[in-house]
Amino acid sequence: LADWVDGTCGHPAKCGPAAGSARRRDGMIESLKALLPGGRVLTRDVYLAAYESDGLTAFRTKPRAVVLPETGEEVIKVVHWCHQHGVPFVARGSGTSLSGGSLPVEEGIVITLNRLNRILEVDPVNRVAIVEPGVINLDVSRAAESHGLHFAPDPSSQTICTIGGNVAFNSGGAHCLKYGMTANHVLGMKAVLATGEVAEFGGRSREQVGPDFVGLFCGSEGLFGVGVEFILRLLPEAECFHTVLAGYRSLEEAGDAVAAVIDSGLLPGALEIMDALAIEAAEAAVSCGYPAGAEAVLIVELEGPVEKVAAERVKLDEILEKTHSFEKRVAADSMERMTIWKGRKSAFSAVGRLSPDFIVQDGVVPRTRLGEALRRIGEMSEETGFRVANVFHAGDGNLHPLILYDGRMEGSLEGAEALAGRILEMCVEMGGSITGEHGVGMEKRDYLPGMFSDYDIEVMKRVRAAFDPKEVANPGKMFPGSEAPSLSQSGLHPLEEAGVISRE
């Protein structure tokens, strides 16, 4: 701290307020560098530029420094340092967040976790894997493949996104309809809380005693601290797959087909929709061979024992016939199955071929109102003049409208954001949610009061304050406004006053 104290020679350039502030910052960085071996605290602009934004490039902030820890112990040291000195930090993996969730904080630091990329153990007997936060999602399944196991959550970015980010935003993916979100597949974790305290939650067993702190941590968007190890649940690979691509003449018909599939009692592994604009982009990018002239395609994947899938495919064929699918393609082998999925998985990035910029929304509507929601999005698109490509997890009503705009045109971003806001308001009005798996981050925080009362949000803030009283962990995200949450004046622990825990 002695490095931060200003001299007072009276010279404005050498000892004035600006010079003193610069010396304090330099002293702070030097004390941070002392925690890690040389070269692993980056401060030059050429390095910082790569961390100014995440997948939502409309927001940009330059951090004061980027830290590159290589072990959990180093992460713990850095977080403890941040708490001690009141320096804000953001933990980041591959930066694929689409809500500004891993956007840096001005004058704060970024703790990048990509070098913590070890799969520490694969236990086929207990069907768990223990991994570090920088492990790529798909690499978990690759490591478990020889045991006939896999990690079920499969976001579209699964070839590059990391487990730490999946946990922070409770990611889902195409197969979340049947298998649930990341929170359903994390059994335990070791974390350094924002106070610098190290905590372990859960364990290898699926049966846990006491509060579900693992579930609380999943989806907390980095507001509690940083996970440094995760115990992941592994599932057996399905015995067989039946993957069908069905073409429809209208987007609303495809949405109604989803409701028909669910109403029939079928529980597909995946149920996805892409509209004509998304199909156009995917075809240009990966030549996936989707039906020509389709206004929408529906991807349905049945999986499980051979006998069960054989019975279900008969019922599925009847539904697709009744819902007026004009073309149906069935994957004959794993290669054709991957071709069908390649178009869907590439959709977000492929839209970049149609527009220099786009916003990906993430609202949820009840499945019974999917067709109506898609029709209303189309009407909003025509009214505002912004093209919208629809790609979404139809089975759980998780919409991913991609709003295309040109950031070089004055007012274009603001217009696209206004349309995105209208879509979120529609989702809440229909009884849905402002986010299914991308999180609130920076993008949706002003829409949180549309779903929750002031009291609800205050309770959330108090829970956050119990883990991070100084608000150094990813500040400015999730909650509207930037003021720190008020702490308890009653002498109770904030979690007690909120009714979350009790000492009785």
Side-chain angles (χ1 to χ4, degrees):
L1 291 177
D3 292 334
W4 299 1
V5 178
D6 296 337
T8 53
C9 69
H11 193 291
K14 294 182 180 180
C15 292
S21 177
R23 276 198 304 277
R24 284 194 297 272
R25 288 197 298 269
D26 291 342
M28 177 183 73
I29 294 301
E30 289 306 311
S31 70
L32 178 60
K33 287 180 177 179
L35 299 177
L36 301 174
R40 292 210 266 119
V41 176
L42 311 178
T43 57
R44 293 176 57 191
D45 287 349
V46 67
Y47 298 130
L48 301 182
Y51 298 89
E52 288 182 352
S53 178
D54 56 17
L56 183 65
T57 56
F59 295 97
R60 291 185 178 275
T61 302
K62 182 163 63 176
R64 184 72 184 92
V66 173
V67 183
L68 307 172
E70 295 183 352
T71 67
E73 289 71 22
E74 290 179 348
V75 175
I76 293 167
K77 285 182 183 178
V78 173
V79 172
H80 185 270
W81 179 90
C82 289
H83 174 73
Q84 183 181 8
H85 299 302
V87 176
F89 69 86
V90 175
R92 169 185 164 125
S94 297
T96 57
S97 168
L98 293 168
S99 64
S102 52
L103 184 77
V105 179
E106 190 173 0
E107 291 301 316
I109 67 171
V110 172
I111 304 174
T112 179
L113 302 172
N114 299 77
R115 297 189 183 188
L116 278 76
N117 58 4
R118 296 179 299 162
I119 296 177
L120 303 173
E121 182 184 351
V122 174
D123 179 355
V125 176
N126 292 301
R127 293 180 180 174
V128 299
I130 302 177
V131 308
E132 292 182 321
V135 170
I136 300 296
N137 174 291
L138 190 57
D139 286 346
V140 180
S141 291
R142 287 171 175 160
E145 186 177 16
S146 61
H147 303 290
L149 303 171
H150 76 292
F151 182 58
D154 61 339
S156 295
S157 57
Q158 70 177 143
T159 58
I160 55 173
C161 66
T162 60
I163 294 298
N166 293 170
V167 172
F169 292 93
N170 194 21
S171 302
H175 290 81
C176 64
L177 171 63
K178 184 171 184 177
Y179 296 110
M181 311 294 281
T182 298
N184 302 110
H185 300 274
V186 181
L187 301 176
M189 63 186 300
K190 177 181 179 181
V192 51
L193 307 182
T195 58
E197 176 187 4
V198 178
E200 294 190 20
F201 305 130
R204 293 180 183 237
S205 173
R206 288 167 178 76
E207 301 297 328
Q208 303 289 341
V209 177
D212 181 15
F213 285 111
V214 174
L216 183 64
F217 226 90
C218 289
S220 62
E221 301 193 20
L223 302 184
F224 296 163
V226 184
V228 293
E229 284 183 20
F230 301 100
I231 303 174
L232 305 180
R233 176 189 181 199
L234 301 177
L235 298 180
E237 285 281 9
E239 186 177 344
C240 76
F241 297 91
H242 178 68
T243 307
V244 181
L245 178 72
Y248 286 88
R249 296 297 186 191
S250 77
L251 187 55
E252 193 164 357
E253 280 185 341
D256 291 339
V258 170
V261 170
I262 299 299
D263 288 346
S264 74
L266 289 177
L267 182 60
L271 199 53
E272 301 283 303
I273 288 181
M274 295 171 61
D275 73 1
L277 200 54
I279 294 168
E280 177 188 342
E283 286 290 354
V286 298
S287 302
C288 45
Y290 286 177
E295 285 299 312
V297 292
L298 173 65
I299 302 173
V300 188
E301 184 162 272
L302 305 174
E303 58 179 60
V306 173
E307 297 81 5
K308 183 173 183 290
V309 171
E312 290 181 341
R313 65 185 295 178
V314 173
K315 184 182 289 189
L316 177 61
D317 287 343
E318 294 173 354
I319 293 169
L320 297 180
E321 183 69 29
K322 290 178 181 178
T323 55
H324 311 297
S325 166
F326 74 89
E327 184 174 336
K328 184 182 71 174
R329 296 181 187 174
V330 178
D333 52 34
S334 60
M335 185 67 71
E336 290 188 12
R337 175 179 175 248
M338 289 300 103
T339 300
I340 289 175
W341 279 113
K342 188 175 184 181
R344 169 61 185 89
K345 293 284 188 178
S346 68
F348 284 5
S349 56
V351 167
R353 290 173 173 265
L354 305 181
S355 173
D357 301 288
F358 60 88
I359 294 174
V360 182
Q361 261 309 345
D362 178 43
V364 182
V365 298
R367 287 187 296 252
T368 54
R369 302 188 71 177
L370 258 180
E372 177 189 354
L374 294 171
R375 176 179 53 78
R376 288 179 60 179
I377 290 174
E379 292 170 355
M380 291 182 212
S381 173
E382 289 186 16
E383 178 187 332
T384 60
F386 287 95
R387 293 189 298 167
V388 179
N390 288 284
V391 184
F392 52 96
H393 306 314
D396 60 352
N398 189 184
L399 305 173
H400 289 327
L402 293 91
I403 302 166
L404 313 189
Y405 72 97
D406 187 344
R408 297 168 296 186
M409 297 176 58
E410 185 176 354
S412 184
L413 171 59
E414 292 75 13
E417 287 182 325
L419 174 54
R422 288 178 62 184
I423 293 173
L424 292 180
E425 289 167 351
M426 176 199 73
C427 291
V428 175
E429 171 199 322
M430 287 184 166
S433 169
I434 61 173
T435 180
E437 58 178 337
H438 294 175
V440 176
M442 287 284 295
E443 180 196 27
K444 304 188 192 78
R445 58 183 185 172
D446 290 338
Y447 297 94
L448 201 68
M451 281 192 67
F452 300 101
S453 69
D454 291 343
Y455 178 78
D456 293 333
I457 294 174
E458 180 63 20
V459 170
M460 295 180 201
K461 288 182 176 181
R462 290 177 181 177
V463 172
R464 188 262 181 90
F467 290 93
D468 181 14
K470 291 186 177 181
E471 280 202 17
V472 293
N474 210 9
K477 313 296 169 57
M478 191 180 291
F479 301 115
S482 58
E483 293 183 0
S486 58
L487 298 178
S488 169
Q489 301 298 315
S490 65
L492 294 175
H493 188 284
L495 290 184
E496 285 185 276
E497 190 175 57
V500 177
I501 63 173
S502 173
R503 296 184 189 274
E504 294 181 1

